[in-house]
Amino acid sequence: MGLRLARLALLAGWAVCLVVYALPRELQPGWWARLRAPLRQTLELLKLRPSHTVFSGAEGDRNRHLWAVRFVGTYPDGSEQTLEEWPEGMTWSTPMVFFDPLDTAWYRLLGKGNQVRLSRAAATPREQEVLTQVRRSSGVRRMTRFWCESSFSHQDGAAPVSVHLDAFYASKSYKTGRVRMSSSRIGRRRCAATEGELPRWIAPPDPPPWFVATPAPSADPAPGLPNPAGAP
Amino acid sequence: MIRRLLTLEAWAVSPVPASPMAFARMALGFIFLLAWATTASRVEILWGRDGLVHHVFHAGQPQWTEWAWPGLLACALLGAAGMMVGLFTRLSCLLFFVGHVGLVKVFNEFTWGWGTAMPVFTLYLLFSEAGRSWSLDAWRTGGRTWQALRGQQTQPGWPWRLLVLNVACVYVSAGWHRIDDPSWIYGDIVWEAVSCSLWSRWIWVDWNAFKTVLWLGAYAAQTLEVLGAILLLIPRVRPWWAVGCIALHVGLELTTSVGWWQWCMTALLFALVWPWVTERILDTVWRTRPDCRKAS
């Protein structure tokens, strides 16, 4: 009998959680939030639920369906450069960081108003941890990972965001439900759209002078994560 | 009190026809397999700019972690295939669950419910006996005769009942937006969806000419979804309402594109219609007959 009651309790508990989860946030009872908080923290600790998601912020907002970013900076000497022609309507709330395994450094793309700068900046410990996790879990050694902490947004009607620069391209299409991403370095390989519905490309600029000075990538980078520039 | 609770428990686990869950298993397995198989060709994000082939065969000695993503994809594909044909069904569901959740958390390909609802529906299949009917498992354990494919015709009902509740909860979640969003309230949403380049499959059509029809369509969809949260739980109404919801999702799939969501919901809603419907579909697909068991 105890077993049967336990089974009923389990089923009923699951059913209640289902219904409460489905309710709009405004109608969810307080105990649900109190229950969820430690659960989420535990899952994050166990790395089962990354607190950061690649391309987060796209789902559910029709204004964020399609974006592409390419950027150029003073890379790799560490100085900053303000980009030109930043599309109007492009905003974000938090900085974006990425890790370049070729250069073994973190970079941060900062935006304020219509100005953008690329900074060879210290990643915060949290960013460092997240990026470490990404790189280790992916195991992809030669790929420049693009990590969007929060979201890019892109207003309806505006041209696809395509800020030309060093080597980044990413797009997400609501229309096809697909995410594509590729990265390359100017002078080594051009970014290429793979399907027709992707954003039109702005022709990549000529390689900046500093590019020549870029050290050749190691054929076999050391495993693990190199110490990021400026990271604690 | 205890007696009432025990009665409730007995109802929750009481047997139900096997065909709805078997159909859900097969249909979802097929959809998942299709989804991840077609995704595999463009998962550049997983293998870097050189793509999978180069990464596997020409990239030198790979680190073991480099195989994590191909491994997860293999889990998803094998699991989905196993679900579809009902081979080692529980293990297949588990494999798919692991592969799907692992992939979807990083490779955030956009499909409604891909990372939330679908893993949970897979869990219901995992814990059900969906693999014991119209499956290779039924064939394996039933004497390896053609007739054995049909397998057992009932199964404990609690996974199916949770599935029904979960489908209804999907409409609870969706229903709120139907009564909270001005586009839905004023009946503009279908027109907006089909004329928006983000969603529509028929963007070149001038939908203004059909605005009245689309307005009616919006309110029909709103009615189906808002009331579906309740009516899908009422046995007498459930099959009829499920048929209406299937029509809704098929219509949405024909006009808009939001990934695999409409496919999945259609498959799940079939598990809510009359069991004889899924039974006949399964008999047709597997070339079995209702009297197979007797014949064997």
Side-chain angles (χ1 to χ4, degrees), chain A residues 4-228:
Chain A
R4 289 180 63 190
L5 288 175
R7 183 158 64 178
L8 179 65
L10 206 61
L11 291 175
W14 182 264
V16 168
C17 287
L18 266 183
V19 175
V20 172
Y21 180 77
L23 289 174
R25 190 67 55 91
E26 300 90 324
L27 301 181
Q28 285 174 346
W31 61 263
W32 178 251
R34 287 194 294 276
L35 185 72
R36 281 188 75 182
L39 270 177
R40 290 168 74 98
Q41 285 165 5
T42 308
L43 289 176
E44 279 184 22
L45 275 178
L46 294 172
K47 306 297 182 195
L48 292 176
R49 187 189 177 285
S51 59
H52 297 63
T53 306
V54 178
F55 303 117
S56 66
E59 191 165 348
D61 185 337
R62 69 186 68 168
N63 289 332
R64 293 175 185 168
H65 71 290
L66 190 65
W67 45 265
V69 181
R70 302 172 71 192
F71 44 90
V72 122
T74 51
Y75 179 143
D77 64 5
S79 59
E80 298 178 356
Q81 180 178 332
T82 301
L83 304 185
E84 297 174 356
E85 299 177 356
W86 189 251
E88 286 184 9
M90 172 116 176
T91 58
W92 61 76
S93 54
T94 54
M96 179 185 68
V97 292
F98 69 97
F99 172 72
D100 184 355
L102 291 179
D103 202 42
T104 64
W106 271 274
Y107 289 82
R108 182 185 293 216
L109 186 66
L110 301 169
K112 188 176 182 182
N114 63 349
Q115 291 200 329
V116 179
R117 57 204 172 107
L118 185 67
S119 166
R120 181 169 175 155
T124 65
R126 178 59 185 155
E127 289 162 352
Q128 181 186 345
E129 182 193 340
V130 170
L131 288 160
T132 305
Q133 182 195 342
V134 173
R135 185 155 183 273
R136 282 186 180 156
S137 60
S138 71
V140 178
R141 284 173 294 179
R142 292 171 302 156
M143 183 175 171
T144 302
R145 292 304 291 253
F146 172 87
W147 196 260
C148 178
E149 253 203 329
S150 175
S151 63
F152 275 91
S153 66
H154 165 211
Q155 301 302 314
D156 256 345
V161 177
S162 184
V163 183
H164 67 273
L165 293 229
D166 175 37
F168 230 95
Y169 166 70
S171 79
K172 173 156 186 158
S173 167
Y174 245 80
K175 187 174 181 183
T176 60
R178 296 169 183 170
V179 173
R180 285 180 199 76
M181 178 172 165
S182 64
S183 63
S184 68
R185 285 185 166 231
I186 296 167
R188 290 175 61 84
R189 185 176 165 181
R190 285 191 170 196
C191 300
T194 53
E195 296 209 5
E197 80 279 11
L198 291 177
R200 292 176 299 280
W201 277 107
I202 296 173
D206 292 333
W210 52 259
F211 187 80
V212 179
T214 303
S218 167
D220 185 18
L225 193 71
N227 191 38

Side-chain angles (χ1 to χ4, degrees), chain A residues 14, chain B residues 32 93 96-98 100-102 104-105 113-126 166:
Chain A
W14 182 264
Chain B
F32 293 152
C93 289
F96 176 77
F97 182 86
V98 170
H100 181 84
V101 171
V104 89
K105 285 299 179 190
W114 214 225
T116 50
M118 291 314 142
V120 178
F121 285 119
T122 307
L123 284 183
Y124 298 146
L125 293 172
L126 169 68
N166 207 330

Side-chain angles (χ1 to χ4, degrees), chain A residues 4 7-8 14-15 18 22 24 59 62 65 137-141 143 172 174-175 177-179 189, chain B residues 5-6 9 42 45-46 49-50 63 66 69 108-110 124 165-166 169 173 176 197-199 257:
Chain A
R4 289 180 63 190
R7 183 158 64 178
L8 179 65
W14 182 264
L18 266 183
E59 191 165 348
R62 69 186 68 168
H65 71 290
S137 60
S138 71
V140 178
R141 284 173 294 179
M143 183 175 171
K172 173 156 186 158
Y174 245 80
K175 187 174 181 183
R178 296 169 183 170
V179 173
R189 185 176 165 181
Chain B
L5 287 176
L6 290 176
E9 190 269 348
R42 58 174 188 275
I45 188 174
L46 301 185
R49 60 183 175 226
D50 297 320
Q63 297 175 6
E66 288 182 321
W69 301 120
N108 192 15
E109 175 152 303
F110 176 72
Y124 298 146
L165 179 65
N166 207 330
C169 284
S173 185
W176 176 253
S197 65
L198 312 184
W199 307 86
S257 173

